């Protein structure tokens, strides 16, 4: 019998301002440094999903979000490599308090406000897929999986 499937759960926060969304330039992490990503991170053990998303936004960009104000807009099943997949939950935060800043300068170089319909070429594919799913109204997207 196959082993029960287990996956890493990622939480991503889409912070819109006008016609743009907030992205962070990764640096010093060893993963996709120099590329852009949404405020995001791993869900902690025992943590409710919306609370994890609000926590990551606070830790990475210094804004406070009431978890009740987060709206789940997309789920992405991301295959990072053949032996590692993760489930990404993408939340829209239309209300928050505070001005976004680089709150973890050891992990992010700068903030970038970008048009979500025309993301910068250095946006990581995984969050770009979640943004695309949100814009197109697709609640579930696959990323990195074989197409056949």
């Amino acid at each position: 019998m196959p082993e029960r499937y287990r996956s890493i759960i990622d939480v991503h926060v889409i912070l819109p301002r006008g016609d743009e969304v907030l992205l962070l330039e990764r640096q010093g992490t060893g993963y996709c440094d120099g590329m852009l990503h949404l405020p995001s991170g791993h869900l902690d053990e025992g943590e409710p999903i919306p609370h994890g998303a609000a926590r990551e936004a606070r830790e990475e960009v210094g804004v406070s979000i009431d978890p009740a104000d987060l709206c789940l807009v997309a789920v992405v099943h991301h295959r990072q490599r053949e032996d590692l997949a993760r489930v990404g939950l993408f939340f829209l935060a239309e209300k928050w308090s505070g001005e976004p800043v680089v709150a973890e300068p050891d992990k992010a170089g700068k903030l970038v406000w970008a048009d979500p319909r025309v993301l910068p070429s250095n946006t990581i594919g995984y969050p770009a897929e979640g943004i695309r799913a949100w814009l197109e109204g697709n609640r579930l997207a696959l990323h990195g999986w074989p197409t056949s």
Side-chain angles (χ1 to χ4, degrees):
M1 184 164 78
E3 190 172 322
R4 183 174 296 202
Y5 181 76
R6 289 188 167 85
S7 184
I8 297 168
I9 304 295
D10 296 324
V11 289
H12 306 257
V13 180
I14 300 169
L15 295 166
R17 179 182 283 169
D19 292 335
E20 297 178 316
V21 296
L22 183 66
L23 301 170
L24 291 91
E25 181 187 54
R26 297 182 60 86
Q27 79 174 19
T29 67
Y31 172 73
C32 294
D33 289 336
M35 297 187 75
L36 301 173
H37 202 298
L38 291 166
S40 63
H42 305 121
L43 186 65
D44 288 344
E45 181 66 38
E47 181 177 45
I49 291 168
H51 292 75
R55 173 186 52 76
E56 286 294 346
R58 184 180 63 257
E59 288 175 0
E60 293 197 357
V61 295
V63 298
S64 294
I65 302 171
D66 182 335
D69 289 333
L70 291 167
C71 178
L72 180 65
V73 295
V75 175
V76 176
H77 194 196
H78 169 63
R79 188 174 189 207
Q80 191 164 336
R81 56 181 195 255
E82 191 171 312
D83 65 336
L84 177 62
R86 43 199 335 125
V87 175
L89 305 171
F90 288 75
F91 290 91
L92 181 63
E94 294 185 299
K95 282 176 37 178
W96 71 82
S97 62
E99 184 62 27
V101 297
V102 175
E104 295 180 314
D106 57 320
K107 296 180 182 177
K110 64 182 175 182
L111 302 179
V112 175
W113 290 96
D115 183 337
R117 293 169 298 281
V118 186
L119 291 169
S121 62
N122 63 332
T123 304
I124 299 169
Y126 172 28
E129 187 65 38
I131 292 168
R132 189 170 21 261
W134 161 59
L135 291 173
E136 295 174 359
N138 297 329
R139 297 292 182 223
L140 175 64
L142 301 178
H143 183 259
W145 293 91
T147 56
S148 55

